[in-house]
Amino acid sequence: MKIKAALLSKIHGDYTIENLRLAEPREDEVRVKLVASGICHSDEATRIGDSTIPFPAVLGHEGAGIVEFVGSEVKNIKVGDHVVMSYSYCGHCANCRTGLPAACNDWPALNSSGSRPDGSHVFNQEDGTPVSNFFYQSSFATHTLTKENNLIVVDKSADLRLVGTLGCGFLTGLGTVINGLKPTVGSSIAIFGTGAVGLAAMMAAKISGCSTIIAVDIHQSRLDIAKQLGATHLVDSSTGDTTKQIKAITDGLGVNYSVDTTGISAVMQTALNSMRTRGTMAPVAVTSKNMDINTFRQLVVSSKKIIGVLMGDAIPQISIPQLIKFYQEGRFPFDKLVKFYKLEEINQASKDSANGSTIKPILIIDEHYKN
Ligand SMILES: NC(=O)c1ccc[n+]([C@@H]2O[C@H](COP(=O)([O-])OP(=O)(O)OC[C@H]3O[C@@H](n4cnc5c(N)ncnc54)[C@H](O)[C@@H]3O)[C@@H](O)[C@H]2O)c1
Ligand SMILES: [Zn+2]
Ligand SMILES: [Zn+2]
């Protein structure tokens, strides 16, 4: 069928709104009519080549919409269901079966290869040129084909313009803390970078009972929001020695946990150095930058750990309803962080996200949707 999508044709290119052909759904696929999609920093990282995918491509991996068609092998999704889309996983490898679908053995084939695992394409240009899909959802489009494991059915009362954006950035921030770091009640944590991921990590630290929650950023406006959402201390890292300031807040010892969302080499170093003995750091940014450490002096002697956490180690079908519940209880007010744009304004929305003026842009794809 003919659809409309924001197409990206090359690294550093602008998005262009194009007509594309969407393939016929297979037995194990679901066709979703998109209502809205968040823009995640990882879309931008892919646009600028910090993470790779064959171009042309339709990006977007925080979609929400309404199910239009289900293949005969799809068991738990019905036409008319309202769904949030998250990442794809196979459901039957050892990691999926032990409750770690973010570590699915088929992750790259399903999420970042640009095609179905067999190499066929979900989207084609009108001249037949194959177009990559992304996270098996490509939510910057009016319609898409996805898989049952990408989908989280939500109550029809949930506002689909808002909840799609829970599918990646906010999920990552929440899960990095709740599933990755598992902080003990009363502990201390420093979050480097208070964008969507960092602020979600901060709210999760509060929910988890951390007593000292230090937000670090270079923009005062971001720090002000962090304060409203529960940071106990703010550090503007553009002024003074950040490690020293964090140690001063934590009796000279440093924090128990740190999360880096900036992906900047020097900031990642600071996130490691500002922890106390036995501290655990989760660097979660999608970055092409490295961290140069002396393993003996910076890890072994102080028994510190650095852990990789993908998609917050979250099972989306469990964590997204949980996030919606936290939101309804007033404990996860992510709606304060979003700004709505039309699909046609995607280039402006990406710029506003990259320059920090919008924390979480959401593209409205179906302007007729009413909650
Ligand atoms: N691991 C995963 O599974 C996963 C999933 C989603 C997103 N991500 C990645 O997480 C990262 C954060 O995403 P986001 O949407 O929150 O991005 P963002 O750009 O909104 O946030 C980054 C923040 O870092 C701040 N910052 C920049 N330089 C700084 C410095 N020197 N010191 C302190 N703060 C500084 C910025 O002001 C901004 O507030 C991105 O790299 C994104 O791609 C990872
Ligand atoms: Zn798997
Ligand atoms: Zn993302």
Side-chain angles (χ1 to χ4, degrees), residues 39-43 61-62 134-135 167-169 172 286 311 360:
I39 300 181
C40 172
H41 192 93
S42 305
D43 296 306
H61 57 290
E62 293 186 351
F134 195 47
F135 283 77
C168 182
T172 296
V286 175
M311 302 299 299
K360 175 56 74 178

Side-chain angles (χ1 to χ4, degrees), residues 55-329:
F55 289 108
V58 180
L59 304 183
H61 57 290
E62 293 186 351
I66 300 173
V67 172
E68 269 194 350
F69 177 90
V70 292
S72 58
E73 290 173 12
V74 173
K75 299 280 180 283
N76 298 304
I77 308 287
K78 309 184 297 299
V79 170
D81 277 348
H82 287 200
V83 289
V84 169
M85 294 194 259
S86 189
Y87 66 87
S88 203
Y89 58 92
C90 79
H92 49 74
C93 73
N95 287 337
C96 281
R97 286 193 194 278
T98 45
L100 292 166
C104 174
N105 291 340
D106 284 344
W107 171 278
L110 288 167
N111 292 280
S112 56
S113 66
S115 64
R116 294 182 177 112
D118 70 1
S120 66
H121 286 82
V122 162
F123 302 103
N124 283 282
Q125 281 179 289
E126 288 188 314
D127 66 1
T129 308
V131 174
S132 290
N133 65 346
F134 195 47
F135 283 77
Y136 222 128
Q137 59 158 296
S138 291
S139 54
F140 299 160
T142 53
H143 301 76
T144 195
L145 297 185
T146 186
K147 306 264 274 188
E148 183 165 2
N149 284 343
N150 286 70
L151 298 175
I152 300 91
V153 178
V154 295
D155 195 85
K156 295 211 166 76
S157 63
D159 187 344
L160 290 178
R161 288 168 298 197
L162 208 50
V163 293
T165 197
L166 296 173
C168 182
F170 290 121
L171 180 73
T172 296
L174 176 103
T176 297
V177 172
I178 289 187
N179 305 319
L181 295 173
K182 301 190 183 86
T184 47
V185 172
S187 58
S188 52
I189 186 165
I191 315 273
F192 291 77
T194 51
V197 174
L199 290 170
M202 239 191 57
M203 292 188 269
K206 195 175 166 198
I207 290 169
S208 302
C210 292
S211 303
T212 305
I213 303 174
I214 306 171
V216 185
D217 208 294
I218 47 174
H219 295 297
Q220 192 54 45
S221 57
R222 294 272 165 127
L223 292 172
D224 292 342
I225 294 168
K227 182 80 192 165
Q228 286 168 29
L229 296 182
T232 58
H233 299 80
L234 308 176
V235 173
D236 178 348
S237 57
S238 61
T239 60
D241 181 333
T242 304
T243 308
K244 228 177 173 173
Q245 293 184 63
I246 292 178
K247 293 219 166 157
I249 296 166
T250 50
D251 300 326
L253 294 172
V255 283
N256 296 108
Y257 309 97
S258 68
V259 177
D260 175 75
T261 71
T262 72
I264 299 169
S265 304
V267 181
M268 293 192 281
Q269 286 279 353
T270 307
L272 180 64
N273 295 338
S274 52
M275 292 193 303
R276 65 180 66 187
T277 299
R278 294 188 61 75
T280 306
M281 167 188 176
V284 297
V286 175
T287 179
S288 55
K289 306 288 186 309
N290 298 329
M291 198 178 161
D292 183 19
I293 57 167
N294 179 283
T295 49
F296 178 66
R297 277 190 287 108
Q298 289 175 275
L299 285 182
V300 177
V301 164
S302 49
S303 299
K304 288 181 183 172
K305 292 188 207 65
I306 302 177
I307 58 167
V309 189
L310 186 61
M311 302 299 299
D313 258 351
I315 301 173
Q317 287 74 8
I318 294 174
S319 291
I320 287 174
Q322 201 175 39
L323 273 171
I324 294 175
K325 194 150 184 283
F326 287 148
Y327 166 63
Q328 289 164 342
E329 292 167 354

